[in-house]
Each structure stands twice: as C-alpha cells, then as structure tokens.
Amino acid sequence: MNKLKGVIPPMITPFDEQGNLDEKNLQKLVEYLSPRVDGLFICGSYGCGPLMSLEERKKVAEIVKKYALPGTRIVVHTGTTTTRDTIELTKHAAYIGCDAASAVGPYYFKYADDSLKKYYSDILKETKNEIPFYAYHNPQFQGYETSLSVMKALKEEGLAGIKDATFNVMQYARKLLDENFDVALGTEAIWVSAHALGCKAYIPGIGNVFPELCTRMWNHSMKGESEEALKLQFLINKLRDVMYLARSTQLAIYAIADIRGIVTAYPRAPFIPASQAEKDAIRESLAKLGVL
C-alpha cells in the first residue's frame, strides 16, 4: 500500500472580502506550499470545505491539482452531510488524478454506529477501486465519536486508513496500523510521539504558514535525531499557543499568512477575519519566538 508520508498541511482556502473563491491567491498559496511540503490536504476544516458548494469544492481541487508540483500528494476532503454528495466529490477527486480522498463523518445529525458504517461502506463500494479513501476522525466537528469497532470493520472492507484529529492516535496505531492500513496524525502537537508509534505522515495546521519548521521536525524525527526533533516540537507547540490569540485557529492561520507575506486572503462568512488587535498580538508573539 502506498501510504501517506511526510508533511501534508490542511490548506486554507483563500476567499476575497465578498466571500468569493479567490482563485489567484489559491494558486499563489499552492505554489508557495508545494515545494516546501510533501502533500496538501484540501477542503477540510482549515479549508472551509463545509462552507463551499460542491462545485466550488471541485474547482478548488482542480486548481490545486493543476498548480501543485509533480510529486505533491493531493488529499481531498470530500465529507458532506450526505452519502450521495460525498461519493460525487470522491469520484471527482479520482477523476482529476488526486492521490487520496478523506471524509469526516456526516455532520449536523448524530449517527449510530450502524448508520456511520453504512455511510463509509457505501462510499467504499462506489469508489475504492478508483482512489484510496481515508476516514477522517474529528469528533469535535462531526459531533460524535467514530468507534474503534466501526474502523475495524471498515478496514476489512478496504478503508485505506484514518486521519485522526484527536489526541488518541495511540489506539488507532496500536489496533489498526499495519502494512495495509495507514494512520495519519491530524495535528502537529504530538508528531514526535505519533512517529514513535509508527505514523509516517502528519497534517499540521501550522504547516500552512511555517511549512519549513514542520518539514524540519519531520526530517529530524525520521532520521532518529530525537533531540533536534523535540526542540522543534516544543517550538511548534508554542506556535500553536499563538494561534489561540485569534477566535479560532483557522482565523489565526489566515492572519499569519498575511503577516508573513505568504498570501492576503479571507475566510468565508460566517467566519469574521481576525481583528487588528488580534493580528497585532499574534505578530508580537511570533516576533518574541524569533520566527518572523
């Protein structure tokens, strides 16, 4: 199995002040990130995927695929509130040549294990011969837990792996990770620990704006240079603290992207961009950490 490997940031999606997809800045962001990371996870939580129409999400995937360097692995978050729409987006990701798809459990309503298993099983039946498919475990956003028993059953049906956005990656690594099933860490906060458990890829929000630090940490960890990897882990965790100076970590990433001169863009409403006071506090904190 060709598992995910390396640093794969959950890329933000640039919008303009009127809330329209900003294709020019999307291209600019892809061209900035692609040479610095191993892949891009698009249209997820940081990417405002649930705030976009299906056609907009397809357009984002097409632009990212077009402008990413060859070898940059593109993972498309295709999760929606319905099985039908998730299948449509997953098939589109396969059609344009993306490397994998991943879906959070259907949100808004809370689903029992049998309904959730059927959701993923139906997606796998329709798409598993076209593109590797990952479950995306994010109880905070989907509104409920995906049980380990459901994941075990889906593994037998051809689920490629799981992106775990909790801090419970140990249970999946211990119970599911093997040569035929991938476990990708959905946070930068515990990468060194996750690597020790066998994970080979992580999906760091801070990687949107500090891809070089995330890549250095991954490289040191993979080479067994534990002291250097831990120094970067502690620095990156301090950067995570800075992200909470905004009203959400997503808003902080848009602000830091502007502060660092990477791209000036906006989140989509009903998100409200970081205030000037929040941006000033973020800038001051980043300066103190010596990363500007």
Side-chain angles (χ1 to χ4, degrees), residues 22 42 54 59 69 80 95 126 130 136-137 146 149 151 163 235 240 245 247 264 277:
D22 188 341
I42 64 173
L54 297 191
K59 175 61 72 173
L69 293 175
T80 71
Y95 176 75
E126 293 291 330
E130 301 175 37
Y136 172 17
H137 187 217
T146 301
S149 62
M151 291 297 180
K163 172 196 171 185
L235 173 59
R240 280 174 53 85
L245 294 174
R247 283 155 288 173
T264 298

mmCIF file of all heavy atoms in Angstrom, residues 22 42 54 59 69 80 95 126 130 136-137 146 149 151 163 235 240 245 247 264 277:
data_model
loop_
_atom_site.group_PDB
_atom_site.id
_atom_site.type_symbol
_atom_site.label_atom_id
_atom_site.label_comp_id
_atom_site.label_asym_id
_atom_site.label_seq_id
_atom_site.Cartn_x
_atom_site.Cartn_y
_atom_site.Cartn_z
ATOM 1 N N ASP A 22 -11.146 32.957 -4.172
ATOM 2 C CA ASP A 22 -10.067 33.791 -4.714
ATOM 3 C C ASP A 22 -9.084 32.872 -5.435
ATOM 4 O O ASP A 22 -8.118 32.378 -4.849
ATOM 5 C CB ASP A 22 -9.398 34.547 -3.575
ATOM 6 C CG ASP A 22 -8.390 35.579 -4.051
ATOM 7 O OD1 ASP A 22 -7.935 35.482 -5.205
ATOM 8 O OD2 ASP A 22 -8.044 36.482 -3.255
ATOM 9 N N ILE A 42 -6.833 19.212 1.290
ATOM 10 C CA ILE A 42 -7.634 20.367 0.892
ATOM 11 C C ILE A 42 -9.119 20.189 1.201
ATOM 12 O O ILE A 42 -9.616 19.077 1.317
ATOM 13 C CB ILE A 42 -7.436 20.684 -0.603
ATOM 14 C CG1 ILE A 42 -7.934 19.532 -1.483
ATOM 15 C CG2 ILE A 42 -5.971 20.970 -0.892
ATOM 16 C CD1 ILE A 42 -7.914 19.851 -2.973
ATOM 17 N N LEU A 54 -20.654 22.178 -3.736
ATOM 18 C CA LEU A 54 -19.935 21.075 -4.367
ATOM 19 C C LEU A 54 -19.103 21.569 -5.543
ATOM 20 O O LEU A 54 -17.954 21.148 -5.726
ATOM 21 C CB LEU A 54 -20.912 20.003 -4.846
ATOM 22 C CG LEU A 54 -21.753 19.267 -3.790
ATOM 23 C CD1 LEU A 54 -22.457 18.076 -4.433
ATOM 24 C CD2 LEU A 54 -20.916 18.809 -2.607
ATOM 25 N N LYS A 59 -13.803 22.937 -7.922
ATOM 26 C CA LYS A 59 -12.921 23.951 -8.510
ATOM 27 C C LYS A 59 -11.626 24.073 -7.709
ATOM 28 O O LYS A 59 -10.536 24.171 -8.297
ATOM 29 C CB LYS A 59 -13.638 25.299 -8.571
ATOM 30 C CG LYS A 59 -12.793 26.462 -9.045
ATOM 31 C CD LYS A 59 -12.269 26.271 -10.456
ATOM 32 C CE LYS A 59 -13.362 26.421 -11.473
ATOM 33 N NZ LYS A 59 -12.813 26.396 -12.866
ATOM 34 N N LEU A 69 3.247 21.001 -7.614
ATOM 35 C CA LEU A 69 4.348 20.350 -8.315
ATOM 36 C C LEU A 69 4.087 18.857 -8.458
ATOM 37 O O LEU A 69 3.435 18.247 -7.600
ATOM 38 C CB LEU A 69 5.654 20.556 -7.547
ATOM 39 C CG LEU A 69 6.200 21.977 -7.458
ATOM 40 C CD1 LEU A 69 7.425 22.002 -6.554
ATOM 41 C CD2 LEU A 69 6.549 22.508 -8.838
ATOM 42 N N THR A 80 -19.373 15.371 3.451
ATOM 43 C CA THR A 80 -20.534 16.253 3.404
ATOM 44 C C THR A 80 -21.582 15.719 4.378
ATOM 45 O O THR A 80 -21.318 14.784 5.138
ATOM 46 C CB THR A 80 -21.145 16.313 1.993
ATOM 47 O OG1 THR A 80 -21.784 15.056 1.706
ATOM 48 C CG2 THR A 80 -20.100 16.600 0.930
ATOM 49 N N TYR A 95 -11.162 11.327 -10.548
ATOM 50 C CA TYR A 95 -11.186 11.644 -11.977
ATOM 51 C C TYR A 95 -10.085 12.631 -12.358
ATOM 52 O O TYR A 95 -9.472 12.502 -13.433
ATOM 53 C CB TYR A 95 -12.557 12.213 -12.350
ATOM 54 C CG TYR A 95 -12.670 12.669 -13.776
ATOM 55 C CD1 TYR A 95 -12.774 11.743 -14.822
ATOM 56 C CD2 TYR A 95 -12.669 14.026 -14.096
ATOM 57 C CE1 TYR A 95 -12.859 12.166 -16.143
ATOM 58 C CE2 TYR A 95 -12.766 14.458 -15.420
ATOM 59 C CZ TYR A 95 -12.860 13.517 -16.437
ATOM 60 O OH TYR A 95 -12.953 13.937 -17.740
ATOM 61 N N GLU A 126 -18.512 2.341 -3.917
ATOM 62 C CA GLU A 126 -18.584 3.136 -5.131
ATOM 63 C C GLU A 126 -17.234 3.644 -5.617
ATOM 64 O O GLU A 126 -17.079 3.965 -6.797
ATOM 65 C CB GLU A 126 -19.509 4.338 -4.909
ATOM 66 C CG GLU A 126 -20.967 3.972 -4.705
ATOM 67 C CD GLU A 126 -21.610 3.418 -5.964
ATOM 68 O OE1 GLU A 126 -21.183 3.818 -7.079
ATOM 69 O OE2 GLU A 126 -22.523 2.595 -5.832
ATOM 70 N N GLU A 130 -11.080 3.282 -7.336
ATOM 71 C CA GLU A 130 -10.692 4.483 -8.061
ATOM 72 C C GLU A 130 -9.667 5.324 -7.316
ATOM 73 O O GLU A 130 -8.815 5.969 -7.944
ATOM 74 C CB GLU A 130 -11.936 5.336 -8.347
ATOM 75 C CG GLU A 130 -13.010 4.609 -9.160
ATOM 76 C CD GLU A 130 -14.262 5.450 -9.308
ATOM 77 O OE1 GLU A 130 -14.149 6.680 -9.458
ATOM 78 O OE2 GLU A 130 -15.364 4.867 -9.273
ATOM 79 N N TYR A 136 -11.857 10.330 8.261
ATOM 80 C CA TYR A 136 -11.307 11.493 8.948
ATOM 81 C C TYR A 136 -12.042 11.600 10.277
ATOM 82 O O TYR A 136 -13.228 11.914 10.322
ATOM 83 C CB TYR A 136 -11.513 12.735 8.066
ATOM 84 C CG TYR A 136 -11.179 14.078 8.681
ATOM 85 C CD1 TYR A 136 -10.403 14.204 9.828
ATOM 86 C CD2 TYR A 136 -11.634 15.249 8.078
ATOM 87 C CE1 TYR A 136 -10.104 15.435 10.362
ATOM 88 C CE2 TYR A 136 -11.340 16.494 8.604
ATOM 89 C CZ TYR A 136 -10.579 16.582 9.750
ATOM 90 O OH TYR A 136 -10.293 17.815 10.280
ATOM 91 N N HIS A 137 -11.319 11.285 11.351
ATOM 92 C CA HIS A 137 -11.944 11.249 12.670
ATOM 93 C C HIS A 137 -11.792 12.598 13.355
ATOM 94 O O HIS A 137 -10.694 12.971 13.776
ATOM 95 C CB HIS A 137 -11.316 10.146 13.525
ATOM 96 C CG HIS A 137 -12.006 9.947 14.824
ATOM 97 N ND1 HIS A 137 -11.350 9.654 15.993
ATOM 98 C CD2 HIS A 137 -13.320 9.996 15.150
ATOM 99 C CE1 HIS A 137 -12.224 9.539 16.979
ATOM 100 N NE2 HIS A 137 -13.417 9.740 16.492
ATOM 101 N N THR A 146 -16.372 8.294 16.263
ATOM 102 C CA THR A 146 -16.379 7.132 15.375
ATOM 103 C C THR A 146 -15.719 5.998 16.150
ATOM 104 O O THR A 146 -14.542 6.093 16.484
ATOM 105 C CB THR A 146 -15.598 7.405 14.081
ATOM 106 O OG1 THR A 146 -16.177 8.524 13.418
ATOM 107 C CG2 THR A 146 -15.642 6.189 13.166
ATOM 108 N N SER A 149 -14.631 -0.039 16.771
ATOM 109 C CA SER A 149 -15.238 -1.212 16.135
ATOM 110 C C SER A 149 -15.666 -0.907 14.699
ATOM 111 O O SER A 149 -15.533 -1.756 13.810
ATOM 112 C CB SER A 149 -16.439 -1.699 16.954
ATOM 113 O OG SER A 149 -17.450 -0.711 17.014
ATOM 114 N N MET A 151 -14.201 1.334 12.751
ATOM 115 C CA MET A 151 -12.966 1.429 11.989
ATOM 116 C C MET A 151 -12.416 0.043 11.654
ATOM 117 O O MET A 151 -11.947 -0.212 10.532
ATOM 118 C CB MET A 151 -11.916 2.220 12.765
ATOM 119 C CG MET A 151 -12.228 3.694 12.903
ATOM 120 S SD MET A 151 -12.292 4.531 11.297
ATOM 121 C CE MET A 151 -12.657 6.190 11.849
ATOM 122 N N LYS A 163 -7.330 9.483 9.169
ATOM 123 C CA LYS A 163 -6.714 10.726 9.633
ATOM 124 C C LYS A 163 -7.349 11.013 10.984
ATOM 125 O O LYS A 163 -8.550 11.263 11.076
ATOM 126 C CB LYS A 163 -6.982 11.884 8.669
ATOM 127 C CG LYS A 163 -6.502 13.224 9.239
ATOM 128 C CD LYS A 163 -7.094 14.416 8.513
ATOM 129 C CE LYS A 163 -6.754 15.712 9.258
ATOM 130 N NZ LYS A 163 -7.395 16.907 8.662
ATOM 131 N N LEU A 235 8.915 24.143 19.988
ATOM 132 C CA LEU A 235 8.716 25.430 19.324
ATOM 133 C C LEU A 235 7.371 25.452 18.600
ATOM 134 O O LEU A 235 6.614 26.433 18.706
ATOM 135 C CB LEU A 235 9.846 25.708 18.336
ATOM 136 C CG LEU A 235 9.670 26.951 17.450
ATOM 137 C CD1 LEU A 235 9.532 28.213 18.283
ATOM 138 C CD2 LEU A 235 10.829 27.074 16.459
ATOM 139 N N ARG A 240 1.501 26.933 18.292
ATOM 140 C CA ARG A 240 0.089 26.559 18.453
ATOM 141 C C ARG A 240 -0.585 27.438 19.510
ATOM 142 O O ARG A 240 -1.748 27.837 19.353
ATOM 143 C CB ARG A 240 -0.037 25.091 18.863
ATOM 144 C CG ARG A 240 0.100 24.107 17.711
ATOM 145 C CD ARG A 240 0.121 22.676 18.222
ATOM 146 N NE ARG A 240 -1.012 22.380 19.086
ATOM 147 C CZ ARG A 240 -2.217 22.001 18.654
ATOM 148 N NH1 ARG A 240 -2.446 21.875 17.353
ATOM 149 N NH2 ARG A 240 -3.181 21.731 19.519
ATOM 150 N N LEU A 245 -4.612 33.089 20.022
ATOM 151 C CA LEU A 245 -4.825 34.519 20.242
ATOM 152 C C LEU A 245 -5.933 35.067 19.352
ATOM 153 O O LEU A 245 -6.447 36.154 19.586
ATOM 154 C CB LEU A 245 -3.528 35.291 20.006
ATOM 155 C CG LEU A 245 -2.393 35.003 20.996
ATOM 156 C CD1 LEU A 245 -1.125 35.719 20.562
ATOM 157 C CD2 LEU A 245 -2.788 35.423 22.409
ATOM 158 N N ARG A 247 -9.822 34.143 17.450
ATOM 159 C CA ARG A 247 -11.035 33.473 17.923
ATOM 160 C C ARG A 247 -11.116 32.015 17.517
ATOM 161 O O ARG A 247 -11.915 31.252 18.072
ATOM 162 C CB ARG A 247 -12.271 34.232 17.434
ATOM 163 C CG ARG A 247 -12.549 35.508 18.223
ATOM 164 C CD ARG A 247 -13.328 36.511 17.408
ATOM 165 N NE ARG A 247 -12.494 37.104 16.361
ATOM 166 C CZ ARG A 247 -12.953 37.905 15.421
ATOM 167 N NH1 ARG A 247 -14.236 38.205 15.376
ATOM 168 N NH2 ARG A 247 -12.137 38.420 14.521
ATOM 169 N N THR A 264 -2.544 37.258 1.191
ATOM 170 C CA THR A 264 -3.550 38.033 1.906
ATOM 171 C C THR A 264 -4.914 37.563 1.430
ATOM 172 O O THR A 264 -5.270 37.746 0.257
ATOM 173 C CB THR A 264 -3.395 39.540 1.645
ATOM 174 O OG1 THR A 264 -2.110 39.955 2.137
ATOM 175 C CG2 THR A 264 -4.477 40.335 2.356
ATOM 176 N N ALA A 277 -6.403 44.048 16.441
ATOM 177 C CA ALA A 277 -5.822 43.803 17.764
ATOM 178 C C ALA A 277 -5.311 42.362 17.877
ATOM 179 O O ALA A 277 -4.227 42.118 18.439
ATOM 180 C CB ALA A 277 -6.850 44.094 18.856
#
